[in-house]
PDB file of all heavy atoms in Angstrom:
ATOM      1  N   TRP L 395      14.522  13.038  -8.137  1.00 98.00           N
ATOM      2  CA  TRP L 395      14.494  14.472  -8.442  1.00 98.00           C
ATOM      3  C   TRP L 395      14.656  14.695  -9.955  1.00 98.00           C
ATOM      4  O   TRP L 395      13.896  15.451 -10.571  1.00 98.00           O
ATOM      5  CB  TRP L 395      15.636  15.095  -7.648  1.00 98.00           C
ATOM      6  CG  TRP L 395      15.857  16.550  -7.660  1.00 98.00           C
ATOM      7  CD1 TRP L 395      14.972  17.540  -7.994  1.00 98.00           C
ATOM      8  CD2 TRP L 395      17.075  17.194  -7.272  1.00 98.00           C
ATOM      9  NE1 TRP L 395      15.565  18.755  -7.847  1.00 98.00           N
ATOM     10  CE2 TRP L 395      16.851  18.578  -7.400  1.00 98.00           C
ATOM     11  CE3 TRP L 395      18.310  16.751  -6.827  1.00 98.00           C
ATOM     12  CZ2 TRP L 395      17.857  19.506  -7.105  1.00 98.00           C
ATOM     13  CZ3 TRP L 395      19.295  17.672  -6.527  1.00 98.00           C
ATOM     14  CH2 TRP L 395      19.069  19.031  -6.663  1.00 98.00           C
ATOM     15  N   LEU L 396      15.607  13.999 -10.536  1.00 98.00           N
ATOM     16  CA  LEU L 396      15.815  14.151 -11.983  1.00 98.00           C
ATOM     17  C   LEU L 396      14.624  13.586 -12.778  1.00 98.00           C
ATOM     18  O   LEU L 396      14.306  14.075 -13.863  1.00 98.00           O
ATOM     19  CB  LEU L 396      17.131  13.492 -12.426  1.00 98.00           C
ATOM     20  CG  LEU L 396      18.388  14.236 -11.951  1.00 98.00           C
ATOM     21  CD1 LEU L 396      19.646  13.441 -12.249  1.00 98.00           C
ATOM     22  CD2 LEU L 396      18.481  15.625 -12.604  1.00 98.00           C
ATOM     23  N   MET L 397      13.940  12.590 -12.209  1.00 98.00           N
ATOM     24  CA  MET L 397      12.736  12.078 -12.882  1.00 98.00           C
ATOM     25  C   MET L 397      11.621  13.130 -12.845  1.00 98.00           C
ATOM     26  O   MET L 397      10.807  13.218 -13.765  1.00 98.00           O
ATOM     27  CB  MET L 397      12.259  10.765 -12.240  1.00 98.00           C
ATOM     28  CG  MET L 397      13.156   9.578 -12.531  1.00 98.00           C
ATOM     29  SD  MET L 397      13.528   9.375 -14.287  1.00 98.00           S
ATOM     30  CE  MET L 397      11.944   8.825 -14.915  1.00 98.00           C
ATOM     31  N   SER L 398      11.591  13.922 -11.777  1.00 98.00           N
ATOM     32  CA  SER L 398      10.607  15.009 -11.717  1.00 98.00           C
ATOM     33  C   SER L 398      10.929  16.071 -12.771  1.00 98.00           C
ATOM     34  O   SER L 398      10.024  16.611 -13.413  1.00 98.00           O
ATOM     35  CB  SER L 398      10.584  15.631 -10.319  1.00 98.00           C
ATOM     36  OG  SER L 398      10.008  14.723  -9.418  1.00 98.00           O
ATOM     37  N   ALA L 399      12.223  16.349 -12.931  1.00 98.00           N
ATOM     38  CA  ALA L 399      12.632  17.285 -13.995  1.00 98.00           C
ATOM     39  C   ALA L 399      12.197  16.721 -15.348  1.00 98.00           C
ATOM     40  O   ALA L 399      11.727  17.451 -16.237  1.00 98.00           O
ATOM     41  CB  ALA L 399      14.148  17.492 -13.962  1.00 98.00           C
ATOM     42  N   GLU L 400      12.314  15.402 -15.479  1.00 98.00           N
ATOM     43  CA  GLU L 400      11.955  14.733 -16.735  1.00 98.00           C
ATOM     44  C   GLU L 400      10.474  14.961 -17.074  1.00 98.00           C
ATOM     45  O   GLU L 400      10.112  15.101 -18.239  1.00 98.00           O
ATOM     46  CB  GLU L 400      12.256  13.238 -16.581  1.00 98.00           C
ATOM     47  CG  GLU L 400      12.223  12.440 -17.864  1.00 98.00           C
ATOM     48  CD  GLU L 400      13.491  12.586 -18.733  1.00 98.00           C
ATOM     49  OE1 GLU L 400      14.500  13.130 -18.270  1.00 98.00           O
ATOM     50  OE2 GLU L 400      13.415  12.156 -19.904  1.00 98.00           O
ATOM     51  N   TYR L 401       9.612  15.012 -16.049  1.00 98.00           N
ATOM     52  CA  TYR L 401       8.190  15.290 -16.285  1.00 98.00           C
ATOM     53  C   TYR L 401       8.005  16.632 -16.991  1.00 98.00           C
ATOM     54  O   TYR L 401       7.194  16.774 -17.891  1.00 98.00           O
ATOM     55  CB  TYR L 401       7.415  15.316 -14.953  1.00 98.00           C
ATOM     56  CG  TYR L 401       6.749  13.994 -14.633  1.00 98.00           C
ATOM     57  CD1 TYR L 401       7.427  13.012 -13.925  1.00 98.00           C
ATOM     58  CD2 TYR L 401       5.455  13.728 -15.060  1.00 98.00           C
ATOM     59  CE1 TYR L 401       6.820  11.801 -13.632  1.00 98.00           C
ATOM     60  CE2 TYR L 401       4.845  12.518 -14.776  1.00 98.00           C
ATOM     61  CZ  TYR L 401       5.528  11.563 -14.068  1.00 98.00           C
ATOM     62  OH  TYR L 401       4.929  10.360 -13.799  1.00 98.00           O
ATOM     63  N   ILE L 402       8.770  17.628 -16.544  1.00 98.00           N
ATOM     64  CA  ILE L 402       8.640  18.975 -17.132  1.00 98.00           C
ATOM     65  C   ILE L 402       9.230  18.961 -18.544  1.00 98.00           C
ATOM     66  O   ILE L 402       8.620  19.429 -19.503  1.00 98.00           O
ATOM     67  CB  ILE L 402       9.352  20.022 -16.242  1.00 98.00           C
ATOM     68  CG1 ILE L 402       8.762  20.002 -14.828  1.00 98.00           C
ATOM     69  CG2 ILE L 402       9.251  21.415 -16.854  1.00 98.00           C
ATOM     70  CD1 ILE L 402       9.558  20.807 -13.802  1.00 98.00           C
ATOM     71  N   LEU L 403      10.422  18.379 -18.672  1.00 98.00           N
ATOM     72  CA  LEU L 403      11.111  18.348 -19.974  1.00 98.00           C
ATOM     73  C   LEU L 403      10.303  17.544 -20.998  1.00 98.00           C
ATOM     74  O   LEU L 403      10.247  17.907 -22.170  1.00 98.00           O
ATOM     75  CB  LEU L 403      12.499  17.714 -19.818  1.00 98.00           C
ATOM     76  CG  LEU L 403      13.488  18.424 -18.885  1.00 98.00           C
ATOM     77  CD1 LEU L 403      14.711  17.536 -18.638  1.00 98.00           C
ATOM     78  CD2 LEU L 403      13.946  19.747 -19.481  1.00 98.00           C
ATOM     79  N   SER L 404       9.672  16.464 -20.531  1.00 96.00           N
ATOM     80  CA  SER L 404       8.982  15.576 -21.475  1.00 96.00           C
ATOM     81  C   SER L 404       7.786  16.262 -22.127  1.00 96.00           C
ATOM     82  O   SER L 404       7.326  15.849 -23.176  1.00 96.00           O
ATOM     83  CB  SER L 404       8.534  14.288 -20.784  1.00 96.00           C
ATOM     84  OG  SER L 404       7.515  14.590 -19.858  1.00 96.00           O
ATOM     85  N   GLU L 405       7.289  17.335 -21.489  1.00 97.00           N
ATOM     86  CA  GLU L 405       6.183  18.080 -22.095  1.00 97.00           C
ATOM     87  C   GLU L 405       6.692  19.201 -23.007  1.00 97.00           C
ATOM     88  O   GLU L 405       5.913  19.960 -23.558  1.00 97.00           O
ATOM     89  CB  GLU L 405       5.279  18.674 -21.003  1.00 97.00           C
ATOM     90  CG  GLU L 405       4.541  17.632 -20.179  1.00 97.00           C
ATOM     91  CD  GLU L 405       3.472  16.866 -20.973  1.00 97.00           C
ATOM     92  OE1 GLU L 405       2.954  17.406 -21.968  1.00 97.00           O
ATOM     93  OE2 GLU L 405       3.182  15.716 -20.588  1.00 97.00           O
ATOM     94  N   GLY L 406       8.015  19.335 -23.088  1.00 96.00           N
ATOM     95  CA  GLY L 406       8.573  20.310 -24.033  1.00 96.00           C
ATOM     96  C   GLY L 406       9.168  21.557 -23.405  1.00 96.00           C
ATOM     97  O   GLY L 406       9.672  22.422 -24.110  1.00 96.00           O
ATOM     98  N   ASN L 407       9.087  21.694 -22.073  1.00 98.00           N
ATOM     99  CA  ASN L 407       9.697  22.866 -21.439  1.00 98.00           C
ATOM    100  C   ASN L 407      11.133  22.533 -21.004  1.00 98.00           C
ATOM    101  O   ASN L 407      11.354  21.778 -20.067  1.00 98.00           O
ATOM    102  CB  ASN L 407       8.867  23.308 -20.230  1.00 98.00           C
ATOM    103  CG  ASN L 407       9.353  24.628 -19.649  1.00 98.00           C
ATOM    104  OD1 ASN L 407      10.389  25.145 -20.078  1.00 98.00           O
ATOM    105  ND2 ASN L 407       8.623  25.162 -18.693  1.00 98.00           N
ATOM    106  N   ASP L 408      12.096  23.122 -21.717  1.00 97.00           N
ATOM    107  CA  ASP L 408      13.514  22.832 -21.446  1.00 97.00           C
ATOM    108  C   ASP L 408      14.096  23.730 -20.360  1.00 97.00           C
ATOM    109  O   ASP L 408      15.257  23.586 -19.989  1.00 97.00           O
ATOM    110  CB  ASP L 408      14.351  23.078 -22.721  1.00 97.00           C
ATOM    111  CG  ASP L 408      13.977  22.104 -23.818  1.00 97.00           C
ATOM    112  OD1 ASP L 408      13.529  20.988 -23.491  1.00 97.00           O
ATOM    113  OD2 ASP L 408      14.125  22.469 -25.006  1.00 97.00           O
TER     114      ASP L 408
END
Side-chain angles (χ1 to χ4, degrees):
W395 183 20
L396 290 172
M397 288 310 289
S398 289
E400 192 79 12
Y401 264 89
I402 302 169
L403 299 169
S404 68
E405 294 292 335
N407 188 353
D408 295 332

